[in-house]
């Protein structure tokens, strides 16, 4: 990743302040979208933001061999988006389900999920499970592509997940689920109805 002290002085000067609140992320698999109308993004030259859809407008303003500086504007949020709230203690994070994209190809499920933090930084990880009809996990993904300390209230997280599918996969129906858990205690966050996951999709394998 790009560190602030690695930036050229002219590029850092574009911020017009020393009161920086950085949010660190793995730009290959995640993007953290602050709640502010405008913000700056400093990313490696090969950063790809097309998978974020049309929720932001990104304009490159400076570039060198190490990084590119972007000025980013947030577009209006989709007010019709259906959300699932997950809660642990007094913390709440919402899964914005209308922005989920599930694609299965060459034995891999590619999934992009979008989350919004409603309370503030808290240690957590995301899990994605593919379960068979008996409830056994067939494939899974666990992780978080950002530093949780920088995920502030109102910020949205875009996270990419990749699940490898074992071959051959027996005929049947499989459930794709997603959820959150505390990495220290393994305690899962819960929905308002007491479930510790959100069901995303049913994948059917035919003969």
């Amino acid at each position: 990743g790009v560190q602030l002290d690695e930036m050229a002085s002219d590029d850092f000067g574009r911020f017009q302040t020393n009161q920086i609140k950085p949010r660190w992320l793995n730009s290959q698999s995640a993007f953290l979208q602050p709640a502010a109308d405008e913000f700056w993004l400093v990313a490696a030259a090969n950063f790809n933001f097309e998978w974020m859809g049309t929720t932001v407008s990104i304009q490159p303003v400076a570039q060198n061999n190490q990084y590119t500086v972007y000025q980013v504007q947030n577009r209006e949020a989709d007010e019709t988006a259906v959300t699932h709230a997950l809660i642990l203690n007094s913390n709440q994070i919402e899964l914005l389900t209308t922005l989920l994209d599930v694609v299965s190809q060459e034995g891999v499920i590619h999934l992009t999920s979008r989350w919004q933090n409603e309370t503030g930084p808290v240690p957590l990880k995301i899990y994605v499970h593919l379960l068979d009809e008996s409830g056994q996990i067939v494939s899974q993904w666990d992780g978080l592509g950002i530093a949780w300390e920088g995920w502030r209230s109102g910020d949205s997280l875009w996270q990419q997940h990749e699940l490898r599918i074992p071959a051959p996969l027996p005929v049947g129906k499989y459930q794709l689920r997603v959820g959150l858990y505390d990495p220290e205690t393994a305690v899962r966050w819960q929905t308002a109805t007491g479930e510790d996951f959100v069901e995303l999709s049913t994948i059917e394998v035919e003969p």
Side-chain angles (χ1 to χ4, degrees), residues 8 22 49 66 68 74 76 90 96 99 110 113 118 126 138 144 147 150-151 163 187 198:
F49 54 83
Q66 291 183 300
T68 301
N74 278 328
E76 292 185 7
S90 60
L96 308 182
L99 296 174
H110 298 279
S113 60
E118 296 295 337
I126 303 171
V138 175
L144 189 68
W151 193 4
L163 283 77
V187 173
V198 175

Side-chain angles (χ1 to χ4, degrees), residues 89-102:
N89 301 323
S90 60
N91 302 295
Q92 178 172 317
I93 292 177
E94 293 185 345
L95 172 65
L96 308 182
T97 57
T98 57
L99 296 174
L100 292 172
D101 182 23
V102 181

Side-chain angles (χ1 to χ4, degrees), residues 7-193:
M7 293 184 62
S9 57
D10 289 346
D11 293 335
F12 190 90
R14 295 177 186 273
F15 302 153
Q16 298 183 353
T17 180
N18 289 324
Q19 303 301 313
I20 305 297
K21 295 180 179 180
R23 293 158 167 84
W24 306 106
L25 55 93
N26 177 356
S27 61
Q28 301 301 313
S29 64
F31 182 77
L32 195 55
Q33 184 177 351
D37 293 335
E38 295 183 344
F39 58 94
W40 293 94
L41 170 66
V42 183
N46 60 350
F47 176 63
N48 177 17
F49 54 83
E50 293 181 358
W51 54 273
M52 290 184 298
T54 59
T55 62
V56 295
S57 174
I58 297 182
Q59 179 67 37
V61 296
Q63 187 175 15
N64 59 32
N65 293 332
Q66 291 183 300
Y67 60 81
T68 301
V69 180
Y70 300 92
Q71 191 168 20
V72 188
Q73 290 183 330
N74 278 328
R75 299 184 187 272
E76 292 185 7
D78 181 3
E79 296 181 356
T80 64
V82 178
T83 62
H84 295 273
L86 291 168
I87 300 168
L88 181 63
N89 301 323
S90 60
N91 302 295
Q92 178 172 317
I93 292 177
E94 293 185 345
L95 172 65
L96 308 182
T97 57
T98 57
L99 296 174
L100 292 172
D101 182 23
V102 181
V103 180
S104 179
Q105 60 183 12
E106 300 178 353
V108 179
I109 293 178
H110 298 279
L111 170 68
T112 301
S113 60
R114 188 184 182 199
W115 308 77
Q116 183 164 305
N117 195 325
E118 296 295 337
T119 45
V122 59
L124 62 85
K125 286 189 176 181
I126 303 171
Y127 73 86
V128 182
H129 288 169
L130 183 67
L131 296 89
D132 63 18
E133 292 178 288
S134 67
Q136 296 298 308
I137 297 175
V138 175
S139 182
Q140 68 182 55
W141 181 99
D142 289 79
L144 189 68
I146 62 170
W148 64 263
E149 295 89 345
W151 193 4
R152 298 178 174 86
S153 177
D155 292 354
S156 294
L157 166 67
W158 298 74
Q159 180 68 61
Q160 292 182 310
H161 320 272
E162 186 175 280
L163 283 77
R164 299 287 175 179
I165 307 302
L169 196 61
V171 173
K173 293 183 179 180
Y174 297 83
Q175 302 298 321
L176 189 63
R177 296 177 176 177
V178 66
L180 306 174
Y181 68 93
D182 184 322
E184 296 182 359
T185 64
V187 173
R188 293 184 179 181
W189 296 48
Q190 294 190 339
T191 66
T193 56

